[in-house]
Amino acid sequence: MNLSESFLTALDSLIANKLRAALTMLGVIIGVAAVIALMSIGNGFSETITGEIQSFVTNLLTITTDGENSGGYLTLSNADIAALADSLNTPALADVSAMVTGNQEVVFSGNSSQTTVAGVTANYLAMNNLGEFQSGAGLTQQDLDIKARVAVLGSEAAPDLFETSYPVGQSVKINGVSYEVIGVLEESGSGFNNTDGNVFIPLTTAQSRLYSDRTRDGQKAVTIITAQAVSEEQTDAAIEQITETLRRQHDIIYAADDDFSIFSQSDLLETFDTITTTMTAFLGAIAGISLVVGGIGIMNIMLVSVTERTREIGIRKAVGALKRDILAQFLLESVFLSVLGGILGILLGWTISKVAGRLIDLNTVVSVSNVLLATGFASAVGLVFGIYPAWRAADLRPIEALRYE
Amino acid sequence: MIAMQNITKSYEMGTQVVHALRGLDLNIQEGEFVAIMGPSGSGKSTLMNIIGCLDAPNSGTYTLDGIDVSHMTDDEQARIRNRRVGFVFQQFNLLSRTSALKQVALPLMYAGYGRSERMSRAAAALEAVGLGDRMDHRPDELSGGQQQRVAIARALATNPSIILADEPTGNLDTQSGEEILQIFKTLHEEKGITLIMITHDPEIAAAAERTIWIRDGVIQEEHQS
Ligand SMILES: Nc1ncnc2c1ncn2[C@@H]1O[C@H](COP(=O)(O)OP(=O)(O)OP(=O)(O)O)[C@@H](O)[C@H]1O
Ligand SMILES: [Mg+2]
């Protein structure tokens, strides 16, 4: 019997046993689709997060209070800002900015919104990638010097309060006091750590009107200091100088731990790398389980039908089929189911990945290696268990195959 | 045409050995109609399966048309089953979910006939057993008697010289049994096919030209009618 006859026989047999064929194929489809969909979502997450972190300024350092060694106080103060800004202390730093934040109710003629109101130094916005304005302008050193009651709105804060009217020149009330809106920021475009809903006012104004936190020794406190190293290569030197300066500022004895923490962009990258790797591994594990479940599905169908198939082989041999006719038919059946199931699985997985991507607003990434892995595994299971009865029964005497229970 | 000497066949069941055939001799001429009778478990089916190359003996010689079958390869035996013998079983042994026409065409496919020739020959074989109007029916859409007729058509498809039937009417009512017997008789009389049939029914055996009695794996007596 030639190959095309074997192929037609295999096809005939699949058509005659549609349910069995469909269930087997379903196993392949589920396995392949699950792997592709889940892995592509995982990849999408990592790429999005990594992309966003890399869009940050790479030589930026973030200094915050170390919660464990602070005794409940904020540890960073205005004096620290000045000390860090002094290039005698920190030659590796180009610039230093600071922020104090909290939640406040912001009101404009009846519209009110609860949002983050940040007191910032004049250079803060520019240093943190927030230097673009839709309208108006940013805070100046003079605003800080005179504790001006002016505010810059994030791109989302503005429409919340003003709806359609033009914000610049209007005044908003924060904690019952009026501030003049002097500028509205462009969208920052960063999904992670999004500050578009924030309202920014001068640091000095915020410290005297909204946030009266003090350090342990009574200095006016800030929440975060951001420092920019002169170059990426100088980041490590900058960290050292900052540490030294702040320890001196805070009178920390040699044996004691820092009461502040310094994060560099690369620390953040590493942290998020760990998170995304963990998440991808987790999704991968789920995908792996789906693959196994799909495989077990295929196995079940095959093993359940082994009796029927062995008897079928007995009948075929009794009327003259050669061993190779049997093997060719079963091999082709399995190849056909695996290939078709694989293709449908890829299509389904791809569709799920795109639909899910749209629903959770994520650019999912279907990778070739995942597609190959999933289809390879599912097809292998399909093949092995498809050929299994033929491999067992083709060597039996016809009468043994006919009597198989 | 069939010559068997000192055929033995035993089955091992764990520690127990069942001797199904114990040195059996048998000769059957071309064109004979032979009935095989004997108590249950005496070895009738075992003998029949060896004649039809569905099973192999443990020892002894078996020649079919002068060819030593016992030393053939699996593929050569498959060819014998395909071209020279047609088998009809008590439990029909049809493929499930497959039309009568395709069942009958199956041996023709393994014999290497092209699609159109297969279909026309299979259709002719079905006509010959009176199932010309049931070609597209699957086994579960046919009565027992009709299924057995499909099996006979399948056995006839490649024009074998021997038909082996193991209790072909055993699962059928008297009426269908008689119809099946009639088909066999006609085949034998009109085509001169060699017919070997196992039966428990003396009336059916009476239709044969020779009856062989088997007991405990050997031939106990024979009589010519
Ligand atoms: N596959 C097998 N394994 C073990 N023992 C077997 C097997 N096939 C047949 N036997 C034994 O061989 C002996 C002969 O069996 P066989 O089927 O030839 O009997 P039989 O004459 O056809 O009986 P019946 O009239 O009931 O069909 C019996 O004792 C049976 O139990
Ligand atoms: Mg029997």
Side-chain angles (χ1 to χ4, degrees):
Chain A
M1 211 167 69
N2 61 26
L3 194 68
S4 71
E5 287 284 8
S6 297
F7 187 78
L8 290 175
T9 309
L11 216 56
D12 257 359
S13 164
L14 291 177
I15 291 168
N17 299 283
K18 287 186 200 70
L19 185 62
R20 187 175 68 207
L23 288 173
T24 310
M25 220 154 65
L26 194 65
V28 179
I29 293 174
I30 288 174
V32 172
V35 170
I36 290 177
L38 290 171
M39 296 305 276
S40 73
I41 292 171
N43 287 345
F45 267 120
S46 354
E47 292 209 352
T48 308
I49 290 177
T50 315
E52 276 179 10
I53 290 173
Q54 276 164 351
S55 75
F56 294 170
V57 189
T58 49
N59 51 352
L60 215 56
L61 297 167
T62 306
I63 308 153
T64 61
T65 298
D66 184 320
E68 281 175 29
N69 302 312
S70 63
Y73 288 90
L74 291 176
T75 57
L76 302 172
S77 68
N78 290 3
D80 293 339
I81 305 172
L84 291 175
D86 185 342
S87 62
L88 288 177
N89 292 328
T90 53
L93 285 188
D95 204 359
V96 177
S97 67
M99 169 169 79
V100 59
T101 63
N103 267 318
Q104 299 290 339
E105 190 171 43
V106 183
V107 183
F108 172 76
S109 70
N111 284 346
S112 92
S113 92
Q114 192 74 28
T115 188
T116 302
V117 173
V120 294
T121 53
N123 57 355
Y124 179 88
L125 292 178
M127 259 179 81
N128 287 276
N129 256 359
L130 298 166
E132 308 272 324
F133 289 84
Q134 284 178 23
S135 50
L139 303 167
T140 63
Q141 190 54 44
Q142 198 191 353
D143 292 330
L144 271 98
D145 292 344
I146 63 169
K147 297 184 189 171
R149 284 182 284 125
V150 291
V152 169
L153 304 185
S155 62
E156 277 168 30
D160 281 356
L161 291 167
F162 291 93
E163 292 165 14
T164 54
S165 60
Y166 186 69
V168 175
Q170 309 262 23
S171 77
V172 290
K173 275 206 161 90
I174 302 172
N175 198 20
V177 177
S178 306
Y179 291 74
E180 185 193 347
V181 176
I182 56 167
V184 178
L185 292 171
E186 285 283 3
E187 225 177 289
S188 72
S190 164
F192 151 76
N193 192 19
N194 193 317
T195 54
D196 286 346
N198 292 10
V199 172
F200 299 93
I201 60 174
L203 177 69
T204 47
T205 318
Q207 282 174 330
S208 61
R209 292 188 180 271
L210 299 175
Y211 311 116
S212 52
D213 304 70
R214 298 287 171 130
T215 61
R216 199 201 295 264
D217 49 4
Q219 306 240 33
K220 287 185 176 173
V222 297
T223 321
I224 288 174
I225 297 176
T226 46
Q228 189 168 6
V230 289
S231 69
E232 205 177 337
E233 295 75 47
Q234 290 288 303
T235 322
D236 287 341
I239 291 175
E240 231 166 81
Q241 293 161 9
I242 293 169
T243 309
E244 210 172 294
T245 309
L246 288 181
R247 284 180 73 92
R248 189 155 13 86
Q249 282 284 116
H250 297 178
D251 295 324
I252 298 174
I253 60 165
Y254 174 74
D257 291 327
D258 296 346
D259 59 2
F260 53 89
S261 312
I262 306 174
F263 300 97
S264 70
Q265 218 56 247
S266 54
D267 285 342
L268 264 184
L269 259 177
E270 262 168 45
T271 310
F272 278 98
D273 225 38
T274 317
I275 293 174
T276 55
T277 310
T278 312
M279 197 177 67
T280 309
F282 175 70
L283 288 175
I286 296 179
I289 291 170
S290 321
L291 213 50
V292 170
V293 169
I296 290 174
I298 299 171
M299 264 158 57
N300 270 336
I301 299 296
M302 292 305 184
L303 293 179
V304 163
S305 62
V306 145
T307 305
E308 196 196 1
R309 300 238 76 178
T310 304
R311 299 197 47 157
E312 176 192 334
I313 290 169
I315 293 172
R316 289 180 183 275
K317 289 193 81 167
V319 301
L322 305 180
K323 185 177 167 182
R324 64 166 177 273
D325 296 333
I326 302 289
L327 290 177
Q329 177 199 335
F330 276 68
L331 181 71
L332 287 169
E333 275 186 39
S334 304
V335 168
F336 188 83
L337 289 183
S338 299
V339 168
L340 191 60
I343 292 173
L344 292 177
I346 292 172
L347 290 180
L348 181 65
W350 188 81
T351 311
I352 292 175
S353 136
K354 290 301 154 200
V355 170
R358 181 142 324 157
L359 287 181
I360 56 179
D361 197 15
L362 186 78
N363 191 17
T364 52
V365 184
V366 176
S367 84
V368 177
S369 63
N370 288 337
V371 170
L372 290 182
L373 171 87
T375 7
F377 181 85
S379 310
V381 174
L383 279 179
V384 167
F385 286 91
I387 304 165
Y388 172 77
W391 172 76
R392 281 268 316 270
D395 270 336
L396 293 176
R397 296 192 179 289
I399 196 67
E400 290 167 331
L402 278 174
R403 285 196 180 140
Y404 186 85
E405 311 263 322
Chain B
M1 117 181 282
I2 290 170
M4 291 182 139
Q5 268 122 42
N6 206 19
I7 295 285
T8 66
K9 177 78 185 177
S10 53
Y11 298 99
E12 277 177 40
M13 302 271 288
T15 52
Q16 217 179 330
V17 179
V18 180
H19 297 281
L21 297 176
R22 308 164 184 257
L24 178 141
D25 299 322
L26 176 69
N27 284 291
I28 291 174
Q29 306 305 314
E30 181 151 15
E32 267 194 291
F33 179 178
V34 178
I36 297 177
M37 296 188 78
S40 187
S42 56
K44 305 181 295 294
S45 294
T46 306
L47 171 64
M48 191 72 116
N49 294 334
I50 291 172
I51 296 176
C53 288
L54 293 174
D55 206 351
N58 295 122
S59 68
T61 54
Y62 168 29
T63 55
L64 179 66
D65 284 340
I67 308 160
D68 187 352
V69 174
S70 31
H71 291 104
M72 279 185 168
T73 65
D74 283 356
D75 282 359
E76 285 168 335
Q77 291 195 355
R79 210 147 268 141
I80 299 256
R81 292 194 293 272
N82 188 230
R83 314 279 162 79
R84 295 195 181 226
V85 281
F87 227 107
V88 178
F89 302 89
Q90 181 178 356
Q91 15 340 43
F92 317 141
N93 280 334
L94 298 174
L95 292 180
S96 53
R97 295 181 283 276
T98 304
S99 73
L101 192 65
K102 282 189 175 160
Q103 308 266 7
V104 178
L106 202 59
L108 294 164
M109 178 177 75
Y110 292 119
Y113 291 99
R115 192 148 266 244
S116 58
E117 170 137 36
R118 293 208 293 267
M119 292 310 157
S120 60
R121 276 182 171 234
L126 282 169
E127 299 275 4
V129 296
L131 284 179
D133 54 346
R134 293 282 189 282
M135 300 210 195
D136 295 327
H137 289 232
R138 301 175 319 191
D140 57 352
E141 298 162 343
L142 294 168
S143 73
Q146 287 168 335
Q147 290 185 55
Q148 194 61 299
R149 280 193 268 164
V150 173
I152 294 172
R154 182 178 65 186
L156 288 173
T158 52
N159 277 327
S161 45
I162 312 169
I163 296 277
L164 305 171
D166 189 348
E167 298 186 50
T169 59
N171 277 0
L172 303 177
D173 59 87
T174 331
Q175 170 74 28
S176 332
E178 255 155 40
E179 284 169 19
I180 295 295
L181 182 64
Q182 204 50 53
I183 292 174
F184 278 125
K185 272 187 184 164
T186 316
L187 283 173
H188 172 62
E189 280 158 15
E190 290 178 3
K191 293 192 171 180
I193 288 180
T194 312
L195 190 56
I196 307 173
M197 188 186 295
I198 296 175
T199 180
H200 285 289
D201 185 344
E203 268 181 54
I204 293 178
E209 295 154 354
R210 178 154 71 114
T211 303
I212 295 173
W213 284 85
I214 292 187
R215 182 183 286 273
D216 292 336
V218 290
I219 293 177
Q220 193 191 27
E221 65 173 273
E222 290 189 31
H223 64 81
Q224 216 83 19
S225 60

